[in-house]
Every structure is written in C-alpha cells, then in structure tokens.
Amino acid sequence: MAVLLLVRHGHSTANADAVLAGWSDGVGLTDRGRGEVERLADRLADLEVVRVVSSPLQRCRETAELLLPSLGAVGVDVADDLGECHYGAWTGRRIAELTREPLWRTVQDDPASARFPDSETYAAESLREMSDRMVAAVTRLDAEVEAEHGADAVWVVVSHGDPIKAVVADAMGAGLPGLQRVHVDPASVSVVRRARDRGLVLAVNSSGDGLADRLRALSAAAKRADVPDADSTVGGGTG
C-alpha cells in the first residue's frame, strides 16, 4: 500500500507563546520554524513524492509550500478535514492555564470521553470526532493515491499535532485511548503504511536532531508551558 509521510507544521508563533492555536487566524511560522522546515526538506529531497495535501491553516500551508520544491510534487492540495482539532473555548489560551482546568485530566487520562467546551467564536468537537475525521480523511486520500500511482507511491500530509497523533495511534492499533502516548514535534515526520484493514508504523516524530539536543529541547518546552510531568501537551509539543 502507499506510504504516507505525516509532517507536522514547523514551529509557529503560537508555539513560541505556548498558546493553543486551534483554528485562530494569523498563526504562521516563526523564523525558527522556517529553518526547521528547510532542513526537513533537505532530508526528504531524495524521495519521489506523488502528492502533497495540507490542512487549510496558515502554518501548515506555509510548511507545505516550503517543502514543495524539494519534493517535486505538482502542487499542494488543501483538505479541510486534515485541519487542527476544534478546541472551542480553549482556542487561543495559554497552555499553562489549561493545565489547571479539570478537562485537562480527562484529555490526558480518558481522551475518548473528552470534548472541548463550546464557544461563540470557535467551533468545538471531541477528540473522538477529531480522530474519526482525520483517520477517515487519510484513508480516503490514501486510496486515491494508490489507485492513481500504485502501491509503492509516497505521499505527504501536512497537519497538526493532535490529528497526526490520532493517525499514528490508529495505525498502531492503540486507537484513541493511546492518543496521549504519542508525541510529535514541530517539523517532525511520522511514517505509516496502511494495508487492508490495519496500519503499520514505520517511524514516529523523526526530526533529524541529535538525541541529546532533542531531549533537552523537549524538557525546556514542557517547563515553559508548565505541562505536568508525563502529560502530553494539548495540540502537540510547543517545540
């Protein structure tokens, strides 16, 4: 079956502020994020990629456009159902504040029952709804790629932390209960291959950084956002 590269957008202005961006407007890549994506493009340059599909949000579209010259794909398709989780009233709030909300523990310990609070400004959904739409979108697009380009085709999705985690957890067979056991950094790539009714995980959170540097960066980012030990940052790590 076709090989899917799941790329998380590069470091964003919301990551820099340790804010849960969600579907906020105007969240683009930082200079650091553009550098990360350029390095990722170099790592992927030897691959023959047949299709690139992006979330509609700015930070993902910027990431996809920076990758495109190295990938040799014709262009970037945009699919709304690859977008970020709809966090409702949590949108735009600082991660450090959210860790003190009762819902935070539900998100960590029982993600299958977690639904984000409604808002007059932003749509809200449950983690299950997010996971179902993301997995369905990837399954549909994967079938299209294989039908057009064959079973060995390589294609790319550019999306967000929680949606990518959902696809990886599904491919591992862990499903939604395993969502918070997966970590994906900005500008990382995870690789899955779907075969019949199951998935195979080939790589997770590959960034190309040295391991010692990556572990120090993860620790610093968690402290900056005030995320409790062993918890997973909602929206994905801030990098």
PDB file of all heavy atoms in Angstrom, residues 19-59:
ATOM      1  N   VAL A  19       0.822  28.869  23.358  1.00  0.00           N
ATOM      2  CA  VAL A  19      -0.622  29.097  23.265  1.00  0.00           C
ATOM      3  C   VAL A  19      -1.236  27.987  22.416  1.00  0.00           C
ATOM      4  O   VAL A  19      -0.626  27.500  21.456  1.00  0.00           O
ATOM      5  CB  VAL A  19      -0.896  30.479  22.621  1.00  0.00           C
ATOM      6  CG1 VAL A  19      -2.331  30.605  22.151  1.00  0.00           C
ATOM      7  CG2 VAL A  19      -0.559  31.584  23.612  1.00  0.00           C
ATOM      8  N   LEU A  20      -2.455  27.572  22.758  1.00  0.00           N
ATOM      9  CA  LEU A  20      -3.183  26.578  21.962  1.00  0.00           C
ATOM     10  C   LEU A  20      -3.841  27.294  20.782  1.00  0.00           C
ATOM     11  O   LEU A  20      -4.884  27.935  20.926  1.00  0.00           O
ATOM     12  CB  LEU A  20      -4.231  25.881  22.826  1.00  0.00           C
ATOM     13  CG  LEU A  20      -4.988  24.727  22.167  1.00  0.00           C
ATOM     14  CD1 LEU A  20      -4.036  23.601  21.759  1.00  0.00           C
ATOM     15  CD2 LEU A  20      -6.065  24.192  23.112  1.00  0.00           C
ATOM     16  N   ALA A  21      -3.247  27.181  19.618  1.00  0.00           N
ATOM     17  CA  ALA A  21      -3.683  27.979  18.466  1.00  0.00           C
ATOM     18  C   ALA A  21      -5.042  27.550  17.934  1.00  0.00           C
ATOM     19  O   ALA A  21      -5.880  28.385  17.593  1.00  0.00           O
ATOM     20  CB  ALA A  21      -2.647  27.893  17.354  1.00  0.00           C
ATOM     21  N   GLY A  22      -5.269  26.237  17.834  1.00  0.00           N
ATOM     22  CA  GLY A  22      -6.512  25.769  17.231  1.00  0.00           C
ATOM     23  C   GLY A  22      -6.701  26.347  15.835  1.00  0.00           C
ATOM     24  O   GLY A  22      -5.793  26.344  15.016  1.00  0.00           O
ATOM     25  N   TRP A  23      -7.900  26.896  15.604  1.00  0.00           N
ATOM     26  CA  TRP A  23      -8.230  27.480  14.302  1.00  0.00           C
ATOM     27  C   TRP A  23      -8.113  29.007  14.326  1.00  0.00           C
ATOM     28  O   TRP A  23      -8.767  29.691  13.534  1.00  0.00           O
ATOM     29  CB  TRP A  23      -9.623  27.047  13.876  1.00  0.00           C
ATOM     30  CG  TRP A  23      -9.668  25.615  13.400  1.00  0.00           C
ATOM     31  CD1 TRP A  23      -9.547  24.496  14.166  1.00  0.00           C
ATOM     32  CD2 TRP A  23      -9.825  25.154  12.052  1.00  0.00           C
ATOM     33  NE1 TRP A  23      -9.620  23.364  13.396  1.00  0.00           N
ATOM     34  CE2 TRP A  23      -9.801  23.740  12.089  1.00  0.00           C
ATOM     35  CE3 TRP A  23     -10.000  25.797  10.825  1.00  0.00           C
ATOM     36  CZ2 TRP A  23      -9.926  22.962  10.943  1.00  0.00           C
ATOM     37  CZ3 TRP A  23     -10.139  25.016   9.683  1.00  0.00           C
ATOM     38  CH2 TRP A  23     -10.092  23.618   9.746  1.00  0.00           C
ATOM     39  N   SER A  24      -7.274  29.556  15.190  1.00  0.00           N
ATOM     40  CA  SER A  24      -7.040  31.001  15.207  1.00  0.00           C
ATOM     41  C   SER A  24      -6.454  31.459  13.872  1.00  0.00           C
ATOM     42  O   SER A  24      -5.650  30.762  13.251  1.00  0.00           O
ATOM     43  CB  SER A  24      -6.050  31.369  16.325  1.00  0.00           C
ATOM     44  OG  SER A  24      -6.510  30.956  17.586  1.00  0.00           O
ATOM     45  N   ASP A  25      -6.852  32.648  13.446  1.00  0.00           N
ATOM     46  CA  ASP A  25      -6.288  33.230  12.231  1.00  0.00           C
ATOM     47  C   ASP A  25      -4.901  33.804  12.509  1.00  0.00           C
ATOM     48  O   ASP A  25      -4.576  34.183  13.636  1.00  0.00           O
ATOM     49  CB  ASP A  25      -7.188  34.360  11.709  1.00  0.00           C
ATOM     50  CG  ASP A  25      -8.507  33.845  11.162  1.00  0.00           C
ATOM     51  OD1 ASP A  25      -8.536  32.695  10.674  1.00  0.00           O
ATOM     52  OD2 ASP A  25      -9.504  34.591  11.223  1.00  0.00           O
ATOM     53  N   GLY A  26      -4.104  33.879  11.452  1.00  0.00           N
ATOM     54  CA  GLY A  26      -2.839  34.604  11.521  1.00  0.00           C
ATOM     55  C   GLY A  26      -1.734  33.914  12.272  1.00  0.00           C
ATOM     56  O   GLY A  26      -0.766  34.563  12.681  1.00  0.00           O
ATOM     57  N   VAL A  27      -1.809  32.602  12.451  1.00  0.00           N
ATOM     58  CA  VAL A  27      -0.734  31.865  13.122  1.00  0.00           C
ATOM     59  C   VAL A  27       0.173  31.271  12.043  1.00  0.00           C
ATOM     60  O   VAL A  27      -0.195  30.301  11.374  1.00  0.00           O
ATOM     61  CB  VAL A  27      -1.284  30.754  14.032  1.00  0.00           C
ATOM     62  CG1 VAL A  27      -0.137  29.980  14.679  1.00  0.00           C
ATOM     63  CG2 VAL A  27      -2.200  31.351  15.098  1.00  0.00           C
ATOM     64  N   GLY A  28       1.321  31.884  11.864  1.00  0.00           N
ATOM     65  CA  GLY A  28       2.254  31.437  10.836  1.00  0.00           C
ATOM     66  C   GLY A  28       3.528  30.886  11.437  1.00  0.00           C
ATOM     67  O   GLY A  28       3.666  30.750  12.657  1.00  0.00           O
ATOM     68  N   LEU A  29       4.481  30.562  10.578  1.00  0.00           N
ATOM     69  CA  LEU A  29       5.758  30.033  11.029  1.00  0.00           C
ATOM     70  C   LEU A  29       6.657  31.145  11.554  1.00  0.00           C
ATOM     71  O   LEU A  29       6.648  32.268  11.054  1.00  0.00           O
ATOM     72  CB  LEU A  29       6.473  29.323   9.873  1.00  0.00           C
ATOM     73  CG  LEU A  29       5.763  28.116   9.243  1.00  0.00           C
ATOM     74  CD1 LEU A  29       6.665  27.502   8.184  1.00  0.00           C
ATOM     75  CD2 LEU A  29       5.368  27.094  10.290  1.00  0.00           C
ATOM     76  N   THR A  30       7.442  30.818  12.555  1.00  0.00           N
ATOM     77  CA  THR A  30       8.499  31.704  13.020  1.00  0.00           C
ATOM     78  C   THR A  30       9.732  31.503  12.121  1.00  0.00           C
ATOM     79  O   THR A  30       9.782  30.578  11.302  1.00  0.00           O
ATOM     80  CB  THR A  30       8.894  31.375  14.466  1.00  0.00           C
ATOM     81  OG1 THR A  30       9.363  30.007  14.515  1.00  0.00           O
ATOM     82  CG2 THR A  30       7.700  31.535  15.405  1.00  0.00           C
ATOM     83  N   ASP A  31      10.732  32.357  12.302  1.00  0.00           N
ATOM     84  CA  ASP A  31      11.994  32.153  11.570  1.00  0.00           C
ATOM     85  C   ASP A  31      12.579  30.784  11.916  1.00  0.00           C
ATOM     86  O   ASP A  31      13.095  30.087  11.029  1.00  0.00           O
ATOM     87  CB  ASP A  31      12.997  33.250  11.930  1.00  0.00           C
ATOM     88  CG  ASP A  31      12.622  34.603  11.335  1.00  0.00           C
ATOM     89  OD1 ASP A  31      11.813  34.635  10.386  1.00  0.00           O
ATOM     90  OD2 ASP A  31      13.135  35.626  11.824  1.00  0.00           O
ATOM     91  N   ARG A  32      12.498  30.428  13.192  1.00  0.00           N
ATOM     92  CA  ARG A  32      12.961  29.103  13.588  1.00  0.00           C
ATOM     93  C   ARG A  32      12.193  28.012  12.846  1.00  0.00           C
ATOM     94  O   ARG A  32      12.777  27.031  12.367  1.00  0.00           O
ATOM     95  CB  ARG A  32      12.791  28.936  15.099  1.00  0.00           C
ATOM     96  CG  ARG A  32      12.993  27.515  15.579  1.00  0.00           C
ATOM     97  CD  ARG A  32      12.702  27.384  17.063  1.00  0.00           C
ATOM     98  NE  ARG A  32      12.373  26.019  17.397  1.00  0.00           N
ATOM     99  CZ  ARG A  32      12.028  25.600  18.613  1.00  0.00           C
ATOM    100  NH1 ARG A  32      11.957  26.471  19.606  1.00  0.00           N
ATOM    101  NH2 ARG A  32      11.735  24.339  18.844  1.00  0.00           N
ATOM    102  N   GLY A  33      10.868  28.178  12.750  1.00  0.00           N
ATOM    103  CA  GLY A  33      10.049  27.184  12.067  1.00  0.00           C
ATOM    104  C   GLY A  33      10.403  27.039  10.606  1.00  0.00           C
ATOM    105  O   GLY A  33      10.463  25.925  10.073  1.00  0.00           O
ATOM    106  N   ARG A  34      10.662  28.163   9.934  1.00  0.00           N
ATOM    107  CA  ARG A  34      11.047  28.086   8.520  1.00  0.00           C
ATOM    108  C   ARG A  34      12.375  27.353   8.368  1.00  0.00           C
ATOM    109  O   ARG A  34      12.550  26.555   7.428  1.00  0.00           O
ATOM    110  CB  ARG A  34      11.106  29.489   7.924  1.00  0.00           C
ATOM    111  CG  ARG A  34       9.726  30.076   7.637  1.00  0.00           C
ATOM    112  CD  ARG A  34       9.813  31.414   6.937  1.00  0.00           C
ATOM    113  NE  ARG A  34      10.174  32.472   7.881  1.00  0.00           N
ATOM    114  CZ  ARG A  34       9.301  33.147   8.599  1.00  0.00           C
ATOM    115  NH1 ARG A  34       8.007  32.876   8.500  1.00  0.00           N
ATOM    116  NH2 ARG A  34       9.683  34.095   9.440  1.00  0.00           N
ATOM    117  N   GLY A  35      13.300  27.604   9.286  1.00  0.00           N
ATOM    118  CA  GLY A  35      14.574  26.881   9.237  1.00  0.00           C
ATOM    119  C   GLY A  35      14.387  25.390   9.450  1.00  0.00           C
ATOM    120  O   GLY A  35      15.027  24.570   8.772  1.00  0.00           O
ATOM    121  N   GLU A  36      13.519  25.015  10.379  1.00  0.00           N
ATOM    122  CA  GLU A  36      13.233  23.599  10.625  1.00  0.00           C
ATOM    123  C   GLU A  36      12.680  22.926   9.379  1.00  0.00           C
ATOM    124  O   GLU A  36      13.076  21.813   9.023  1.00  0.00           O
ATOM    125  CB  GLU A  36      12.219  23.461  11.756  1.00  0.00           C
ATOM    126  CG  GLU A  36      12.707  23.832  13.133  1.00  0.00           C
ATOM    127  CD  GLU A  36      11.602  23.859  14.163  1.00  0.00           C
ATOM    128  OE1 GLU A  36      10.407  23.917  13.777  1.00  0.00           O
ATOM    129  OE2 GLU A  36      11.925  23.824  15.366  1.00  0.00           O
ATOM    130  N   VAL A  37      11.751  23.597   8.712  1.00  0.00           N
ATOM    131  CA  VAL A  37      11.123  23.005   7.532  1.00  0.00           C
ATOM    132  C   VAL A  37      12.126  22.912   6.388  1.00  0.00           C
ATOM    133  O   VAL A  37      12.131  21.935   5.624  1.00  0.00           O
ATOM    134  CB  VAL A  37       9.884  23.817   7.117  1.00  0.00           C
ATOM    135  CG1 VAL A  37       9.286  23.263   5.836  1.00  0.00           C
ATOM    136  CG2 VAL A  37       8.836  23.798   8.231  1.00  0.00           C
ATOM    137  N   GLU A  38      12.991  23.892   6.258  1.00  0.00           N
ATOM    138  CA  GLU A  38      14.020  23.822   5.213  1.00  0.00           C
ATOM    139  C   GLU A  38      14.949  22.633   5.442  1.00  0.00           C
ATOM    140  O   GLU A  38      15.344  21.941   4.492  1.00  0.00           O
ATOM    141  CB  GLU A  38      14.808  25.135   5.168  1.00  0.00           C
ATOM    142  CG  GLU A  38      13.988  26.295   4.597  1.00  0.00           C
ATOM    143  CD  GLU A  38      14.641  27.641   4.818  1.00  0.00           C
ATOM    144  OE1 GLU A  38      15.734  27.681   5.451  1.00  0.00           O
ATOM    145  OE2 GLU A  38      14.078  28.653   4.374  1.00  0.00           O
ATOM    146  N   ARG A  39      15.298  22.366   6.704  1.00  0.00           N
ATOM    147  CA  ARG A  39      16.140  21.198   6.998  1.00  0.00           C
ATOM    148  C   ARG A  39      15.385  19.904   6.719  1.00  0.00           C
ATOM    149  O   ARG A  39      15.959  18.926   6.208  1.00  0.00           O
ATOM    150  CB  ARG A  39      16.611  21.243   8.451  1.00  0.00           C
ATOM    151  CG  ARG A  39      17.634  22.344   8.720  1.00  0.00           C
ATOM    152  CD  ARG A  39      18.290  22.195  10.086  1.00  0.00           C
ATOM    153  NE  ARG A  39      17.361  22.398  11.189  1.00  0.00           N
ATOM    154  CZ  ARG A  39      17.051  23.587  11.683  1.00  0.00           C
ATOM    155  NH1 ARG A  39      17.579  24.699  11.157  1.00  0.00           N
ATOM    156  NH2 ARG A  39      16.216  23.695  12.702  1.00  0.00           N
ATOM    157  N   LEU A  40      14.082  19.893   7.046  1.00  0.00           N
ATOM    158  CA  LEU A  40      13.275  18.712   6.741  1.00  0.00           C
ATOM    159  C   LEU A  40      13.202  18.493   5.234  1.00  0.00           C
ATOM    160  O   LEU A  40      13.287  17.358   4.762  1.00  0.00           O
ATOM    161  CB  LEU A  40      11.870  18.870   7.327  1.00  0.00           C
ATOM    162  CG  LEU A  40      10.874  17.760   7.007  1.00  0.00           C
ATOM    163  CD1 LEU A  40      11.386  16.408   7.509  1.00  0.00           C
ATOM    164  CD2 LEU A  40       9.510  18.074   7.599  1.00  0.00           C
ATOM    165  N   ALA A  41      13.066  19.566   4.471  1.00  0.00           N
ATOM    166  CA  ALA A  41      13.022  19.451   3.012  1.00  0.00           C
ATOM    167  C   ALA A  41      14.288  18.786   2.481  1.00  0.00           C
ATOM    168  O   ALA A  41      14.236  17.945   1.573  1.00  0.00           O
ATOM    169  CB  ALA A  41      12.837  20.831   2.388  1.00  0.00           C
ATOM    170  N   ASP A  42      15.431  19.136   3.051  1.00  0.00           N
ATOM    171  CA  ASP A  42      16.685  18.511   2.632  1.00  0.00           C
ATOM    172  C   ASP A  42      16.675  17.014   2.923  1.00  0.00           C
ATOM    173  O   ASP A  42      17.163  16.207   2.129  1.00  0.00           O
ATOM    174  CB  ASP A  42      17.871  19.166   3.346  1.00  0.00           C
ATOM    175  CG  ASP A  42      18.144  20.585   2.864  1.00  0.00           C
ATOM    176  OD1 ASP A  42      17.695  20.932   1.756  1.00  0.00           O
ATOM    177  OD2 ASP A  42      18.808  21.335   3.599  1.00  0.00           O
ATOM    178  N   ARG A  43      16.110  16.628   4.062  1.00  0.00           N
ATOM    179  CA  ARG A  43      16.056  15.213   4.434  1.00  0.00           C
ATOM    180  C   ARG A  43      15.155  14.414   3.497  1.00  0.00           C
ATOM    181  O   ARG A  43      15.384  13.223   3.267  1.00  0.00           O
ATOM    182  CB  ARG A  43      15.538  15.058   5.865  1.00  0.00           C
ATOM    183  CG  ARG A  43      16.457  15.602   6.947  1.00  0.00           C
ATOM    184  CD  ARG A  43      15.831  15.393   8.323  1.00  0.00           C
ATOM    185  NE  ARG A  43      15.676  13.985   8.624  1.00  0.00           N
ATOM    186  CZ  ARG A  43      14.736  13.483   9.402  1.00  0.00           C
ATOM    187  NH1 ARG A  43      13.824  14.284   9.957  1.00  0.00           N
ATOM    188  NH2 ARG A  43      14.670  12.185   9.636  1.00  0.00           N
ATOM    189  N   LEU A  44      14.118  15.061   2.964  1.00  0.00           N
ATOM    190  CA  LEU A  44      13.140  14.360   2.126  1.00  0.00           C
ATOM    191  C   LEU A  44      13.439  14.475   0.637  1.00  0.00           C
ATOM    192  O   LEU A  44      12.715  13.912  -0.193  1.00  0.00           O
ATOM    193  CB  LEU A  44      11.739  14.932   2.394  1.00  0.00           C
ATOM    194  CG  LEU A  44      11.234  14.870   3.837  1.00  0.00           C
ATOM    195  CD1 LEU A  44       9.820  15.436   3.922  1.00  0.00           C
ATOM    196  CD2 LEU A  44      11.270  13.453   4.394  1.00  0.00           C
ATOM    197  N   ALA A  45      14.507  15.183   0.291  1.00  0.00           N
ATOM    198  CA  ALA A  45      14.736  15.553  -1.115  1.00  0.00           C
ATOM    199  C   ALA A  45      14.923  14.352  -2.030  1.00  0.00           C
ATOM    200  O   ALA A  45      14.638  14.450  -3.236  1.00  0.00           O
ATOM    201  CB  ALA A  45      15.953  16.479  -1.213  1.00  0.00           C
ATOM    202  N   ASP A  46      15.399  13.213  -1.530  1.00  0.00           N
ATOM    203  CA  ASP A  46      15.643  12.056  -2.388  1.00  0.00           C
ATOM    204  C   ASP A  46      14.390  11.233  -2.654  1.00  0.00           C
ATOM    205  O   ASP A  46      14.430  10.287  -3.444  1.00  0.00           O
ATOM    206  CB  ASP A  46      16.712  11.150  -1.761  1.00  0.00           C
ATOM    207  CG  ASP A  46      18.090  11.806  -1.746  1.00  0.00           C
ATOM    208  OD1 ASP A  46      18.319  12.707  -2.581  1.00  0.00           O
ATOM    209  OD2 ASP A  46      18.916  11.415  -0.899  1.00  0.00           O
ATOM    210  N   LEU A  47      13.292  11.586  -1.998  1.00  0.00           N
ATOM    211  CA  LEU A  47      12.058  10.830  -2.187  1.00  0.00           C
ATOM    212  C   LEU A  47      11.289  11.316  -3.418  1.00  0.00           C
ATOM    213  O   LEU A  47      11.277  12.511  -3.717  1.00  0.00           O
ATOM    214  CB  LEU A  47      11.157  10.979  -0.954  1.00  0.00           C
ATOM    215  CG  LEU A  47      11.651  10.339   0.339  1.00  0.00           C
ATOM    216  CD1 LEU A  47      10.716  10.712   1.488  1.00  0.00           C
ATOM    217  CD2 LEU A  47      11.738   8.827   0.205  1.00  0.00           C
ATOM    218  N   GLU A  48      10.660  10.389  -4.088  1.00  0.00           N
ATOM    219  CA  GLU A  48       9.759  10.742  -5.190  1.00  0.00           C
ATOM    220  C   GLU A  48       8.340  10.790  -4.627  1.00  0.00           C
ATOM    221  O   GLU A  48       7.693   9.760  -4.447  1.00  0.00           O
ATOM    222  CB  GLU A  48       9.855   9.726  -6.318  1.00  0.00           C
ATOM    223  CG  GLU A  48       9.000  10.095  -7.527  1.00  0.00           C
ATOM    224  CD  GLU A  48       9.150   9.112  -8.664  1.00  0.00           C
ATOM    225  OE1 GLU A  48      10.130   8.337  -8.654  1.00  0.00           O
ATOM    226  OE2 GLU A  48       8.277   9.114  -9.557  1.00  0.00           O
ATOM    227  N   VAL A  49       7.869  11.990  -4.331  1.00  0.00           N
ATOM    228  CA  VAL A  49       6.564  12.187  -3.697  1.00  0.00           C
ATOM    229  C   VAL A  49       5.533  12.516  -4.772  1.00  0.00           C
ATOM    230  O   VAL A  49       5.745  13.395  -5.608  1.00  0.00           O
ATOM    231  CB  VAL A  49       6.636  13.309  -2.648  1.00  0.00           C
ATOM    232  CG1 VAL A  49       5.258  13.665  -2.126  1.00  0.00           C
ATOM    233  CG2 VAL A  49       7.554  12.894  -1.503  1.00  0.00           C
ATOM    234  N   VAL A  50       4.402  11.811  -4.747  1.00  0.00           N
ATOM    235  CA  VAL A  50       3.417  11.974  -5.812  1.00  0.00           C
ATOM    236  C   VAL A  50       2.319  12.972  -5.468  1.00  0.00           C
ATOM    237  O   VAL A  50       1.638  13.496  -6.353  1.00  0.00           O
ATOM    238  CB  VAL A  50       2.782  10.619  -6.192  1.00  0.00           C
ATOM    239  CG1 VAL A  50       3.844   9.642  -6.671  1.00  0.00           C
ATOM    240  CG2 VAL A  50       1.981  10.026  -5.026  1.00  0.00           C
ATOM    241  N   ARG A  51       2.139  13.255  -4.169  1.00  0.00           N
ATOM    242  CA  ARG A  51       1.063  14.173  -3.788  1.00  0.00           C
ATOM    243  C   ARG A  51       1.353  14.782  -2.426  1.00  0.00           C
ATOM    244  O   ARG A  51       1.876  14.107  -1.539  1.00  0.00           O
ATOM    245  CB  ARG A  51      -0.288  13.437  -3.752  1.00  0.00           C
ATOM    246  CG  ARG A  51      -1.508  14.342  -3.597  1.00  0.00           C
ATOM    247  CD  ARG A  51      -2.806  13.564  -3.712  1.00  0.00           C
ATOM    248  NE  ARG A  51      -3.960  14.432  -3.633  1.00  0.00           N
ATOM    249  CZ  ARG A  51      -5.234  14.003  -3.608  1.00  0.00           C
ATOM    250  NH1 ARG A  51      -5.498  12.712  -3.673  1.00  0.00           N
ATOM    251  NH2 ARG A  51      -6.236  14.866  -3.522  1.00  0.00           N
ATOM    252  N   VAL A  52       0.997  16.063  -2.274  1.00  0.00           N
ATOM    253  CA  VAL A  52       1.110  16.763  -1.004  1.00  0.00           C
ATOM    254  C   VAL A  52      -0.259  17.350  -0.673  1.00  0.00           C
ATOM    255  O   VAL A  52      -0.828  18.087  -1.489  1.00  0.00           O
ATOM    256  CB  VAL A  52       2.161  17.884  -1.050  1.00  0.00           C
ATOM    257  CG1 VAL A  52       2.215  18.624   0.288  1.00  0.00           C
ATOM    258  CG2 VAL A  52       3.537  17.331  -1.407  1.00  0.00           C
ATOM    259  N   VAL A  53      -0.788  17.026   0.502  1.00  0.00           N
ATOM    260  CA  VAL A  53      -2.100  17.521   0.922  1.00  0.00           C
ATOM    261  C   VAL A  53      -1.933  18.197   2.283  1.00  0.00           C
ATOM    262  O   VAL A  53      -1.323  17.637   3.192  1.00  0.00           O
ATOM    263  CB  VAL A  53      -3.144  16.396   1.025  1.00  0.00           C
ATOM    264  CG1 VAL A  53      -4.541  16.986   1.203  1.00  0.00           C
ATOM    265  CG2 VAL A  53      -3.096  15.487  -0.190  1.00  0.00           C
ATOM    266  N   SER A  54      -2.483  19.397   2.422  1.00  0.00           N
ATOM    267  CA  SER A  54      -2.265  20.197   3.621  1.00  0.00           C
ATOM    268  C   SER A  54      -3.579  20.550   4.307  1.00  0.00           C
ATOM    269  O   SER A  54      -4.622  20.714   3.678  1.00  0.00           O
ATOM    270  CB  SER A  54      -1.527  21.490   3.252  1.00  0.00           C
ATOM    271  OG  SER A  54      -1.422  22.366   4.359  1.00  0.00           O
ATOM    272  N   SER A  55      -3.494  20.701   5.609  1.00  0.00           N
ATOM    273  CA  SER A  55      -4.526  21.400   6.375  1.00  0.00           C
ATOM    274  C   SER A  55      -4.690  22.804   5.788  1.00  0.00           C
ATOM    275  O   SER A  55      -3.738  23.381   5.261  1.00  0.00           O
ATOM    276  CB  SER A  55      -4.086  21.496   7.843  1.00  0.00           C
ATOM    277  OG  SER A  55      -4.700  22.584   8.503  1.00  0.00           O
ATOM    278  N   PRO A  56      -5.876  23.399   5.915  1.00  0.00           N
ATOM    279  CA  PRO A  56      -6.073  24.740   5.364  1.00  0.00           C
ATOM    280  C   PRO A  56      -5.439  25.850   6.195  1.00  0.00           C
ATOM    281  O   PRO A  56      -5.375  27.000   5.727  1.00  0.00           O
ATOM    282  CB  PRO A  56      -7.593  24.889   5.350  1.00  0.00           C
ATOM    283  CG  PRO A  56      -8.066  24.017   6.465  1.00  0.00           C
ATOM    284  CD  PRO A  56      -7.126  22.847   6.467  1.00  0.00           C
ATOM    285  N   LEU A  57      -4.962  25.557   7.383  1.00  0.00           N
ATOM    286  CA  LEU A  57      -4.468  26.608   8.264  1.00  0.00           C
ATOM    287  C   LEU A  57      -3.100  27.113   7.822  1.00  0.00           C
ATOM    288  O   LEU A  57      -2.274  26.371   7.292  1.00  0.00           O
ATOM    289  CB  LEU A  57      -4.442  26.111   9.706  1.00  0.00           C
ATOM    290  CG  LEU A  57      -5.838  25.806  10.258  1.00  0.00           C
ATOM    291  CD1 LEU A  57      -5.761  25.152  11.613  1.00  0.00           C
ATOM    292  CD2 LEU A  57      -6.676  27.077  10.340  1.00  0.00           C
ATOM    293  N   GLN A  58      -2.868  28.396   8.082  1.00  0.00           N
ATOM    294  CA  GLN A  58      -1.707  29.105   7.538  1.00  0.00           C
ATOM    295  C   GLN A  58      -0.382  28.402   7.823  1.00  0.00           C
ATOM    296  O   GLN A  58       0.459  28.254   6.925  1.00  0.00           O
ATOM    297  CB  GLN A  58      -1.671  30.534   8.100  1.00  0.00           C
ATOM    298  CG  GLN A  58      -0.460  31.354   7.652  1.00  0.00           C
ATOM    299  CD  GLN A  58      -0.443  32.734   8.299  1.00  0.00           C
ATOM    300  OE1 GLN A  58      -1.480  33.258   8.709  1.00  0.00           O
ATOM    301  NE2 GLN A  58       0.743  33.312   8.393  1.00  0.00           N
ATOM    302  N   ARG A  59      -0.177  27.965   9.051  1.00  0.00           N
ATOM    303  CA  ARG A  59       1.107  27.386   9.413  1.00  0.00           C
ATOM    304  C   ARG A  59       1.396  26.107   8.646  1.00  0.00           C
ATOM    305  O   ARG A  59       2.562  25.795   8.359  1.00  0.00           O
ATOM    306  CB  ARG A  59       1.173  27.155  10.926  1.00  0.00           C
ATOM    307  CG  ARG A  59       0.012  26.328  11.526  1.00  0.00           C
ATOM    308  CD  ARG A  59      -0.067  26.568  13.020  1.00  0.00           C
ATOM    309  NE  ARG A  59      -1.086  25.801  13.723  1.00  0.00           N
ATOM    310  CZ  ARG A  59      -2.353  26.183  13.854  1.00  0.00           C
ATOM    311  NH1 ARG A  59      -2.772  27.298  13.270  1.00  0.00           N
ATOM    312  NH2 ARG A  59      -3.203  25.450  14.564  1.00  0.00           N
TER     313      ARG A  59
END
